[in-house]
Coordinates of all heavy atoms in Angstrom, one line a residue:
M214 N -73.6 88.9 1.2 CA -72.4 89.0 2.0 C -71.1 88.6 1.2 O -71.2 87.7 0.4 CB -72.5 88.1 3.2 CG -71.4 88.4 4.3 SD -71.7 87.6 5.8 CE -70.1 87.6 6.5
A215 N -70.1 89.3 1.3 CA -68.9 89.0 0.5 C -68.3 87.7 1.0 O -68.6 87.2 2.0 CB -67.8 90.1 0.8
G216 N -67.5 87.1 0.1 CA -66.9 85.8 0.4 C -66.1 85.8 1.6 O -65.3 86.7 1.9
N217 N -66.2 84.8 2.4 CA -65.4 84.6 3.6 C -64.1 84.0 3.3 O -64.0 82.9 2.8 CB -66.2 83.7 4.6 CG -65.4 83.5 5.9 OD1 -64.3 83.9 6.0 ND2 -66.1 82.9 6.9
P218 N -63.0 84.7 3.5 CA -61.7 84.1 3.1 C -61.3 82.8 3.8 O -60.5 82.1 3.3 CB -60.7 85.2 3.5 CG -61.4 86.1 4.5 CD -62.9 86.0 4.1
R219 N -62.0 82.6 5.0 CA -61.7 81.3 5.7 C -62.3 80.1 4.9 O -62.0 79.0 5.2 CB -62.3 81.3 7.1 CG -61.5 82.2 8.0 CD -62.2 82.3 9.4 NE -61.6 83.3 10.2 CZ -60.8 82.9 11.3 NH1 -60.7 81.7 11.6 NH2 -60.3 83.9 12.0
N220 N -63.2 80.4 3.9 CA -63.7 79.3 3.1 C -62.9 79.1 1.8 O -63.2 78.2 1.1 CB -65.2 79.6 2.7 CG -66.0 79.5 4.0 OD1 -65.8 78.8 4.9 ND2 -67.1 80.3 4.0
G221 N -61.9 79.9 1.6 CA -61.1 79.8 0.4 C -60.1 78.7 0.4 O -59.7 78.2 1.4
R222 N -59.7 78.4 -0.8 CA -58.7 77.3 -0.9 C -57.4 77.6 -0.2 O -56.8 76.7 0.4 CB -58.4 77.1 -2.4 CG -57.4 75.9 -2.6 CD -57.1 75.8 -4.1 NE -58.2 75.3 -4.9 CZ -58.1 75.1 -6.2 NH1 -57.0 75.3 -6.8 NH2 -59.1 74.7 -6.8
P223 N -56.8 78.8 -0.3 CA -55.5 79.1 0.4 C -55.7 78.9 1.9 O -54.7 78.3 2.5 CB -55.3 80.6 0.1 CG -56.0 80.9 -1.2 CD -57.2 80.0 -1.1
Y224 N -56.8 79.2 2.5 CA -57.0 79.0 3.9 C -57.1 77.5 4.2 O -56.5 77.0 5.2 CB -58.2 79.7 4.4 CG -58.4 79.6 5.9 CD1 -57.7 80.4 6.7 CD2 -59.4 78.8 6.4 CE1 -57.8 80.3 8.1 CE2 -59.5 78.7 7.8 CZ -58.8 79.4 8.6 OH -58.9 79.4 10.0
R225 N -57.8 76.8 3.4 CA -57.9 75.3 3.6 C -56.5 74.7 3.5 O -56.2 73.7 4.2 CB -58.9 74.8 2.6 CG -60.3 75.3 2.8 CD -61.2 74.8 1.7 NE -61.5 73.3 1.8 CZ -62.5 72.8 2.5 NH1 -63.3 73.6 3.1 NH2 -62.6 71.5 2.6
R226 N -55.7 75.1 2.5 CA -54.4 74.6 2.4 C -53.5 74.9 3.6 O -52.7 74.0 4.0 CB -53.7 75.1 1.1 CG -54.2 74.5 -0.2 CD -53.7 75.1 -1.4 NE -52.2 75.1 -1.4 CZ -51.4 75.7 -2.3 NH1 -52.0 76.4 -3.3 NH2 -50.1 75.6 -2.2
L227 N -53.7 76.1 4.1 CA -52.9 76.4 5.3 C -53.3 75.5 6.5 O -52.4 75.0 7.2 CB -53.2 77.9 5.7 CG -52.4 78.4 6.9 CD1 -50.9 78.5 6.7 CD2 -52.9 79.8 7.2
C228 N -54.6 75.3 6.6 CA -55.1 74.4 7.7 C -54.5 73.0 7.5 O -54.0 72.4 8.5 CB -56.6 74.3 7.6 SG -57.4 75.7 8.4
A229 N -54.5 72.5 6.3 CA -54.0 71.1 6.0 C -52.5 71.1 6.3 O -52.0 70.1 6.9 CB -54.3 70.7 4.6
W230 N -51.8 72.1 5.9 CA -50.3 72.2 6.1 C -50.0 72.1 7.6 O -49.2 71.4 8.1 CB -49.8 73.4 5.5 CG -48.4 73.8 5.9 CD1 -47.2 73.3 5.4 CD2 -48.0 74.7 6.9 NE1 -46.2 73.8 6.0 CE2 -46.6 74.7 6.9 CE3 -48.7 75.6 7.8 CZ2 -45.8 75.6 7.8 CZ3 -48.0 76.4 8.7 CH2 -46.5 76.4 8.7
L231 N -50.8 72.9 8.4 CA -50.5 73.0 9.8 C -50.9 71.7 10.5 O -50.2 71.1 11.4 CB -51.3 74.1 10.4 CG -51.0 74.5 11.9 CD1 -49.6 74.8 12.1 CD2 -51.9 75.6 12.3
R232 N -52.1 71.2 10.1 CA -52.6 69.9 10.7 C -51.6 68.8 10.5 O -51.4 67.9 11.4 CB -54.0 69.6 10.1 CG -54.6 68.3 10.6 CD -55.8 68.0 9.8 NE -57.0 68.8 10.2 CZ -57.8 68.4 11.2 NH1 -57.6 67.3 11.8 NH2 -58.8 69.2 11.5
A233 N -51.0 68.7 9.4 CA -50.1 67.6 9.0 C -48.9 67.6 9.9 O -48.2 66.5 10.0 CB -49.7 67.7 7.5
Q234 N -48.6 68.7 10.6 CA -47.4 68.7 11.4 C -47.6 68.1 12.8 O -46.7 67.9 13.5 CB -46.9 70.2 11.6 CG -46.5 70.8 10.3 CD -46.1 72.2 10.4 OE1 -45.1 72.5 11.1 NE2 -46.8 73.1 9.8
R235 N -48.9 67.9 13.1 CA -49.2 67.2 14.4 C -48.5 67.9 15.6 O -48.0 67.3 16.5 CB -48.8 65.8 14.4 CG -49.6 64.9 13.4 CD -51.1 64.9 13.8 NE -51.8 64.0 13.0 CZ -52.5 64.2 11.9 NH1 -52.4 65.4 11.4 NH2 -53.2 63.3 11.3
L236 N -48.6 69.2 15.6 CA -48.0 70.0 16.6 C -48.8 70.0 17.9 O -50.1 69.9 17.8 CB -47.8 71.5 16.2 CG -46.8 71.7 15.0 CD1 -46.9 73.1 14.5 CD2 -45.4 71.4 15.5
P237 N -48.2 70.2 19.1 CA -49.0 70.4 20.3 C -49.7 71.8 20.3 O -49.3 72.6 19.5 CB -48.0 70.2 21.4 CG -46.7 70.6 20.8 CD -46.8 70.2 19.3
C238 N -50.6 72.0 21.2 CA -51.3 73.2 21.3 C -50.3 74.3 21.7 O -49.5 74.2 22.7 CB -52.4 73.1 22.3 SG -53.2 74.7 22.7
W239 N -50.3 75.4 21.0 CA -49.3 76.5 21.3 C -49.7 77.3 22.6 O -48.9 78.0 23.1 CB -49.1 77.4 20.1 CG -50.1 78.5 19.9 CD1 -51.4 78.3 19.5 CD2 -49.9 79.9 20.0 NE1 -52.0 79.5 19.3 CE2 -51.1 80.5 19.7 CE3 -48.8 80.7 20.4 CZ2 -51.3 81.9 19.7 CZ3 -49.0 82.1 20.5 CH2 -50.2 82.6 20.1
W240 N -50.9 77.1 23.1 CA -51.4 77.7 24.3 C -51.0 76.9 25.5 O -50.4 77.4 26.4 CB -52.9 78.0 24.3 CG -53.2 79.1 23.4 CD1 -53.8 79.0 22.1 CD2 -53.0 80.5 23.6 NE1 -53.9 80.3 21.6 CE2 -53.5 81.2 22.5 CE3 -52.4 81.2 24.7 CZ2 -53.4 82.6 22.4 CZ3 -52.4 82.6 24.6 CH2 -52.8 83.3 23.5
C241 N -51.4 75.7 25.5 CA -51.2 74.9 26.8 C -50.1 73.9 26.7 O -49.7 73.3 27.6 CB -52.5 74.2 27.2 SG -53.1 72.9 26.1
G242 N -49.6 73.6 25.4 CA -48.5 72.7 25.3 C -48.9 71.2 25.3 O -48.0 70.4 25.1
H243 N -50.2 70.9 25.4 CA -50.6 69.5 25.4 C -50.9 69.1 23.9 O -51.2 69.9 23.1 CB -51.8 69.4 26.3 CG -51.5 69.5 27.7 ND1 -50.8 68.6 28.4 CD2 -51.7 70.6 28.6 CE1 -50.7 69.0 29.7 NE2 -51.2 70.2 29.8
E244 N -50.9 67.8 23.8 CA -51.2 67.2 22.5 C -52.6 67.5 22.0 O -53.5 67.6 22.9 CB -51.0 65.7 22.5 CG -49.6 65.3 22.5 CD -49.5 63.8 22.3 OE1 -50.3 63.2 21.6 OE2 -48.5 63.2 22.8
I245 N -52.8 67.7 20.8 CA -54.1 68.0 20.2 C -54.7 66.7 19.6 O -54.0 65.9 19.1 CB -54.0 69.0 19.1 CG1 -53.6 70.4 19.7 CG2 -55.3 69.2 18.3 CD1 -53.2 71.5 18.7
G246 N -56.0 66.5 19.8 CA -56.7 65.3 19.3 C -57.0 65.5 17.8 O -58.1 65.8 17.4
Y247 N -56.0 65.2 17.0 CA -56.1 65.4 15.6 C -57.2 64.5 14.9 O -57.7 64.8 13.9 CB -54.8 65.3 14.8 CG -53.9 66.5 15.1 CD1 -53.0 66.5 16.1 CD2 -54.1 67.6 14.2 CE1 -52.2 67.6 16.3 CE2 -53.3 68.7 14.4 CZ -52.3 68.7 15.5 OH -51.5 69.8 15.7
G248 N -57.5 63.4 15.6 CA -58.5 62.5 15.1 C -59.9 62.8 15.6 O -60.9 62.2 15.2
L249 N -60.0 63.8 16.5 CA -61.3 64.1 17.1 C -62.2 64.8 16.2 O -61.8 65.5 15.3 CB -61.1 64.9 18.4 CG -60.3 64.2 19.5 CD1 -60.1 65.2 20.7 CD2 -61.1 63.0 20.0
D250 N -63.5 64.7 16.5 CA -64.5 65.5 15.8 C -64.2 67.0 16.0 O -63.8 67.4 17.0 CB -65.9 65.1 16.4 CG -67.0 65.8 15.7 OD1 -67.3 67.0 15.9 OD2 -67.6 65.1 14.8
A251 N -64.5 67.7 14.9 CA -64.1 69.1 14.9 C -64.9 69.9 16.0 O -64.5 71.0 16.4 CB -64.5 69.7 13.6
R252 N -65.9 69.4 16.6 CA -66.7 70.1 17.6 C -66.1 69.8 19.0 O -66.5 70.4 20.0 CB -68.2 69.7 17.5 CG -68.9 70.3 16.3 CD -70.2 69.6 16.1 NE -69.9 68.2 15.7 CZ -70.9 67.3 15.3 NH1 -72.1 67.7 15.2 NH2 -70.6 66.1 15.1
H253 N -65.2 68.8 19.1 CA -64.6 68.4 20.4 C -63.7 69.6 20.9 O -63.0 70.2 20.1 CB -63.8 67.2 20.2 CG -63.5 66.5 21.5 ND1 -62.5 67.0 22.3 CD2 -63.9 65.4 22.1 CE1 -62.4 66.2 23.4 NE2 -63.3 65.3 23.3
P254 N -63.8 69.9 22.2 CA -63.0 71.0 22.7 C -61.5 70.7 22.6 O -60.7 71.7 22.6 CB -63.4 71.0 24.2 CG -64.4 70.0 24.4 CD -64.7 69.3 23.2
L255 N -61.0 69.5 22.4 CA -59.6 69.2 22.3 C -59.2 68.9 20.9 O -58.1 68.4 20.6 CB -59.2 68.1 23.2 CG -59.4 68.3 24.7 CD1 -58.9 67.1 25.5 CD2 -58.6 69.6 25.1
S256 N -60.1 69.3 19.9 CA -59.7 69.0 18.5 C -58.9 70.2 18.0 O -58.7 71.2 18.7 CB -61.0 68.9 17.7 OG -61.7 70.2 17.7
F257 N -58.3 70.0 16.8 CA -57.4 70.9 16.2 C -58.2 72.2 15.6 O -59.2 72.0 15.0 CB -56.7 70.2 15.0 CG -56.0 71.2 14.1 CD1 -54.8 71.7 14.4 CD2 -56.6 71.5 12.9 CE1 -54.2 72.6 13.5 CE2 -56.0 72.4 12.0 CZ -54.8 72.9 12.3
T258 N -57.6 73.3 15.9 CA -58.1 74.5 15.2 C -56.8 75.3 14.8 O -55.8 75.2 15.4 CB -58.9 75.5 16.1 OG1 -58.2 75.9 17.2 CG2 -60.2 74.8 16.5
L259 N -57.0 76.1 13.7 CA -55.9 76.9 13.3 C -56.1 78.3 14.0 O -57.1 78.9 13.9 CB -56.0 77.1 11.8 CG -54.8 77.8 11.1 CD1 -54.9 77.6 9.6 CD2 -54.7 79.2 11.4
D260 N -55.1 78.6 14.8 CA -55.1 79.9 15.5 C -54.1 80.8 14.9 O -53.2 80.4 14.1 CB -54.8 79.7 17.0 CG -55.2 80.8 17.8 OD1 -55.9 81.8 17.4 OD2 -54.7 80.9 19.0
H261 N -54.2 82.1 15.2 CA -53.2 83.1 14.7 C -52.5 83.7 15.8 O -53.1 84.2 16.7 CB -54.0 84.1 13.8 CG -54.5 83.5 12.5 ND1 -55.8 83.0 12.5 CD2 -54.0 83.3 11.3 CE1 -56.0 82.5 11.2 NE2 -54.9 82.7 10.5
Q262 N -51.2 83.8 15.7 CA -50.4 84.4 16.7 C -50.8 85.8 16.9 O -51.0 86.3 18.0 CB -48.9 84.2 16.4 CG -48.0 84.9 17.5 CD -46.6 84.4 17.4 OE1 -46.1 84.0 16.3 NE2 -45.8 84.5 18.5
V263 N -50.8 86.6 15.8 CA -51.3 87.9 15.9 C -52.8 87.9 15.4 O -53.0 87.5 14.2 CB -50.5 88.9 15.0 CG1 -51.1 90.3 15.0 CG2 -49.0 88.8 15.4
P264 N -53.7 88.2 16.3 CA -55.1 88.1 15.9 C -55.4 88.9 14.6 O -54.8 90.0 14.4 CB -55.9 88.6 17.1 CG -54.9 88.5 18.2 CD -53.5 88.7 17.6
L265 N -56.4 88.4 13.8 CA -56.7 89.2 12.6 C -57.2 90.6 13.0 O -57.1 91.5 12.3 CB -57.8 88.4 11.9 CG -57.4 86.9 11.6 CD1 -58.5 86.3 10.7 CD2 -56.1 86.8 10.9
S266 N -57.9 90.6 14.2 CA -58.4 91.9 14.6 C -57.3 92.9 15.0 O -57.6 94.1 15.1 CB -59.3 91.7 15.9 OG -58.6 91.1 16.9
K267 N -56.1 92.4 15.1 CA -54.9 93.3 15.4 C -54.0 93.4 14.2 O -52.8 93.7 14.3 CB -54.2 92.8 16.6 CG -55.1 92.7 17.8 CD -54.3 92.9 19.1 CE -55.3 93.0 20.3 NZ -54.6 93.3 21.5
G268 N -54.5 93.0 13.0 CA -53.7 93.2 11.8 C -52.9 92.0 11.4 O -52.1 92.0 10.5
G269 N -53.1 90.8 12.1 CA -52.4 89.6 11.7 C -52.9 89.1 10.4 O -54.0 89.3 10.0
S270 N -52.0 88.4 9.7 CA -52.4 87.8 8.4 C -53.1 86.5 8.5 O -52.7 85.6 9.3 CB -51.1 87.6 7.6 OG -51.4 86.9 6.4
L271 N -54.2 86.4 7.8 CA -55.0 85.2 7.8 C -54.2 84.0 7.2 O -54.3 82.9 7.6 CB -56.3 85.4 7.1 CG -57.2 84.2 6.9 CD1 -57.8 83.8 8.2 CD2 -58.3 84.5 5.8
L272 N -53.5 84.3 6.2 CA -52.9 83.2 5.3 C -51.4 83.1 5.5 O -50.8 82.2 4.8 CB -53.2 83.4 3.9 CG -54.7 83.4 3.6 CD1 -55.0 83.8 2.1 CD2 -55.3 82.1 3.9
D273 N -50.8 83.8 6.4 CA -49.3 83.7 6.5 C -49.0 82.5 7.4 O -49.4 82.5 8.6 CB -48.8 85.0 7.2 CG -47.3 85.1 7.2 OD1 -46.6 84.1 6.9 OD2 -46.8 86.2 7.6
R274 N -48.1 81.6 6.9 CA -47.8 80.5 7.7 C -47.0 80.9 9.0 O -47.1 80.2 10.0 CB -46.9 79.5 6.9 CG -47.6 78.8 5.8 CD -46.7 77.8 5.1 NE -47.5 77.1 4.1 CZ -47.0 76.1 3.4 NH1 -45.8 75.7 3.6 NH2 -47.8 75.4 2.5
A275 N -46.3 82.0 8.9 CA -45.6 82.4 10.1 C -46.5 82.9 11.2 O -46.1 83.0 12.4 CB -44.6 83.5 9.7
N276 N -47.7 83.2 10.9 CA -48.7 83.6 11.9 C -49.6 82.5 12.3 O -50.5 82.7 13.1 CB -49.5 84.8 11.3 CG -50.2 85.6 12.4 OD1 -49.7 85.7 13.5 ND2 -51.4 86.1 12.1
A277 N -49.5 81.4 11.7 CA -50.4 80.3 12.0 C -49.9 79.4 13.1 O -48.7 79.1 13.2 CB -50.6 79.4 10.7
R278 N -50.8 79.0 14.0 CA -50.5 78.2 15.2 C -51.5 77.1 15.4 O -52.7 77.4 15.1 CB -50.4 79.0 16.5 CG -49.3 80.1 16.5 CD -47.9 79.4 16.6 NE -46.8 80.4 16.7 CZ -46.3 80.9 15.6 NH1 -46.7 80.7 14.4 NH2 -45.3 81.8 15.8
A279 N -51.1 76.0 15.8 CA -52.1 74.9 16.1 C -52.6 75.1 17.5 O -51.8 75.3 18.5 CB -51.4 73.5 16.0
A280 N -53.9 75.0 17.7 CA -54.4 75.2 19.1 C -55.6 74.3 19.3 O -56.3 73.9 18.3 CB -54.8 76.6 19.3
H281 N -55.9 73.9 20.5 CA -57.1 73.2 20.8 C -58.3 74.2 20.6 O -58.2 75.4 20.7 CB -57.2 72.9 22.3 CG -56.2 71.8 22.8 ND1 -55.3 72.1 23.7 CD2 -56.0 70.6 22.3 CE1 -54.6 71.0 23.9 NE2 -55.0 70.0 23.1
R282 N -59.4 73.6 20.2 CA -60.6 74.5 20.0 C -60.9 75.2 21.3 O -61.2 76.4 21.4 CB -61.8 73.6 19.7 CG -63.1 74.3 19.6 CD -64.2 73.5 18.9 NE -63.8 73.2 17.5 CZ -63.9 74.2 16.6 NH1 -64.3 75.4 16.8 NH2 -63.5 73.9 15.3
R283 N -60.7 74.5 22.4 CA -61.0 75.0 23.8 C -60.1 76.2 24.0 O -60.5 77.3 24.5 CB -60.7 73.9 24.8 CG -60.7 74.3 26.2 CD -60.4 73.1 27.0 NE -59.0 72.7 27.1 CZ -58.5 71.8 27.8 NH1 -59.3 71.0 28.6 NH2 -57.2 71.5 27.9
C284 N -58.8 76.1 23.7 CA -57.8 77.1 24.0 C -58.0 78.3 23.1 O -58.0 79.5 23.5 CB -56.4 76.6 23.9 SG -56.0 75.4 25.1
N285 N -58.3 78.0 21.9 CA -58.5 79.1 20.9 C -59.7 80.0 21.3 O -59.6 81.2 21.3 CB -58.7 78.4 19.5 CG -58.7 79.4 18.4 OD1 -58.6 80.6 18.6 ND2 -58.6 78.9 17.2
S286 N -60.8 79.3 21.7 CA -62.0 80.1 22.0 C -61.9 80.8 23.3 O -62.6 81.8 23.5 CB -63.2 79.2 21.9 OG -63.1 78.2 22.9
S287 N -61.0 80.3 24.2 CA -60.9 81.0 25.5 C -59.9 82.1 25.5 O -59.6 82.7 26.5 CB -60.6 80.0 26.6 OG -59.3 79.4 26.4
R288 N -59.2 82.2 24.4 CA -58.1 83.1 24.3 C -58.4 84.6 24.3 O -57.7 85.4 24.9 CB -57.3 82.8 23.0 CG -56.2 83.7 22.7 CD -55.7 83.5 21.3 NE -54.6 84.5 21.0 CZ -54.1 84.6 19.8 NH1 -54.4 83.8 18.8 NH2 -53.1 85.5 19.7
G289 N -59.5 84.9 23.7 CA -59.9 86.3 23.6 C -58.9 87.0 22.7 O -58.5 86.5 21.6
N290 N -58.5 88.2 23.1 CA -57.6 89.0 22.3 C -56.2 89.0 22.8 O -55.3 89.8 22.4 CB -58.1 90.4 22.2 CG -58.9 90.6 20.9 OD1 -58.7 89.9 19.9 ND2 -59.8 91.6 21.0
R291 N -55.9 88.1 23.7 CA -54.5 88.0 24.2 C -53.5 87.6 23.1 O -53.9 86.8 22.2 CB -54.4 87.1 25.4 CG -55.0 87.7 26.7 CD -55.0 86.7 27.8 NE -56.0 85.7 27.6 CZ -55.7 84.4 27.5 NH1 -54.4 84.0 27.6 NH2 -56.6 83.5 27.3
T292 N -52.3 88.1 23.2 CA -51.4 87.8 22.1 C -50.2 86.9 22.6 O -49.4 86.4 21.8 CB -50.7 89.0 21.5 OG1 -50.2 89.8 22.6 CG2 -51.8 89.9 20.8
T293 N -50.2 86.6 23.9 CA -49.2 85.7 24.4 C -49.9 84.6 25.2 O -50.9 84.8 25.8 CB -48.2 86.4 25.3 OG1 -48.9 87.1 26.3 CG2 -47.4 87.4 24.5
P294 N -49.3 83.4 25.1 CA -49.9 82.2 25.9 C -49.9 82.5 27.4 O -49.0 83.1 27.9 CB -49.0 81.1 25.5 CG -48.3 81.4 24.3 CD -48.2 82.9 24.3
R295 N -51.0 82.1 28.0 CA -51.1 82.2 29.4 C -50.6 80.9 30.0 O -51.2 79.8 29.9 CB -52.5 82.4 29.8 CG -52.7 82.4 31.4 CD -54.2 82.6 31.7 NE -55.0 81.6 31.1 CZ -56.3 81.6 31.0 NH1 -57.0 82.6 31.4 NH2 -57.0 80.6 30.5
R296 N -49.4 80.9 30.6 CA -48.8 79.7 31.2 C -49.3 79.5 32.6 O -49.5 80.4 33.4 CB -47.3 79.9 31.2 CG -46.6 80.0 29.8 CD -46.9 78.7 29.0 NE -46.2 78.9 27.7 CZ -46.4 78.0 26.7 NH1 -47.2 76.9 26.9 NH2 -45.8 78.1 25.6
P297 N -49.4 78.2 32.9 CA -49.8 77.9 34.3 C -48.8 78.4 35.3 O -47.6 78.4 35.0 CB -49.9 76.4 34.3 CG -50.0 76.0 32.9 CD -49.3 77.0 32.1
E298 N -49.2 78.7 36.5 CA -48.2 79.2 37.5 C -47.2 78.2 37.8 O -46.0 78.4 38.0 CB -49.0 79.7 38.8 CG -49.9 80.8 38.6 CD -49.1 82.1 38.2 OE1 -48.0 82.3 38.7 OE2 -49.7 82.9 37.4
R299 N -47.7 76.9 37.9 CA -46.8 75.9 38.3 C -46.4 75.0 37.1 O -46.6 73.8 37.1 CB -47.4 75.0 39.4 CG -47.7 75.7 40.7 CD -48.5 74.9 41.7 NE -49.9 74.7 41.2 CZ -50.4 73.6 40.9 NH1 -49.6 72.5 40.9 NH2 -51.6 73.5 40.5
A300 N -45.9 75.7 36.1 CA -45.5 75.0 34.9 C -44.5 73.9 35.1 O -43.5 74.1 35.7 CB -45.0 76.0 33.8
S301 N -44.9 72.7 34.6 CA -43.9 71.6 34.7 C -43.1 71.5 33.5 O -43.5 71.7 32.3 CB -44.7 70.3 34.8 OG -43.8 69.2 34.7
R302 N -41.8 71.2 33.7 CA -40.9 71.1 32.5 C -40.7 69.7 32.1 O -39.8 69.3 31.3 CB -39.6 71.8 32.8 CG -39.7 73.3 32.9 CD -38.5 74.0 32.4 NE -38.7 75.4 32.2 CZ -38.9 76.0 31.1 NH1 -38.9 75.3 30.0 NH2 -39.1 77.3 31.0
R303 N -41.4 68.8 32.8 CA -41.1 67.4 32.6 C -42.0 66.8 31.5 O -42.5 65.7 31.6 CB -41.4 66.6 33.9 CG -40.4 67.1 34.9 CD -40.6 66.4 36.2 NE -40.6 64.9 36.1 CZ -41.1 64.1 36.9 NH1 -41.8 64.5 38.0 NH2 -41.0 62.8 36.7
W304 N -42.2 67.5 30.4 CA -42.9 67.0 29.3 C -42.1 67.3 28.0 O -42.3 66.7 27.0 CB -44.3 67.5 29.1 CG -44.4 69.0 29.3 CD1 -44.8 69.6 30.5 CD2 -44.2 70.1 28.4 NE1 -44.8 71.0 30.3 CE2 -44.5 71.3 29.1 CE3 -43.8 70.1 27.0 CZ2 -44.3 72.5 28.4 CZ3 -43.7 71.3 26.4 CH2 -43.9 72.5 27.1
Ligands
ZN48 ZN1 -54.6 73.8 24.4

């Protein structure tokens, strides 16, 4: 099998760059557990605004977003965040 680009150094650097910003989840807006185990549903994952399956760039910082593992995996192929109906602005 050909090399997986997600294992490459550029991808790891992109992950480190994004992780260092300690951004909230771009899907739900809540804080991400940056110290949590990578298997935890609320841990950090690198998500892509435009999915790779839709032509998004794997390594473009402009396409990289911080997301909970939980949110990333429940996202499917949607390209816009699903906001709660009763979104609170008090955060
Ligand atoms: Zn989230």
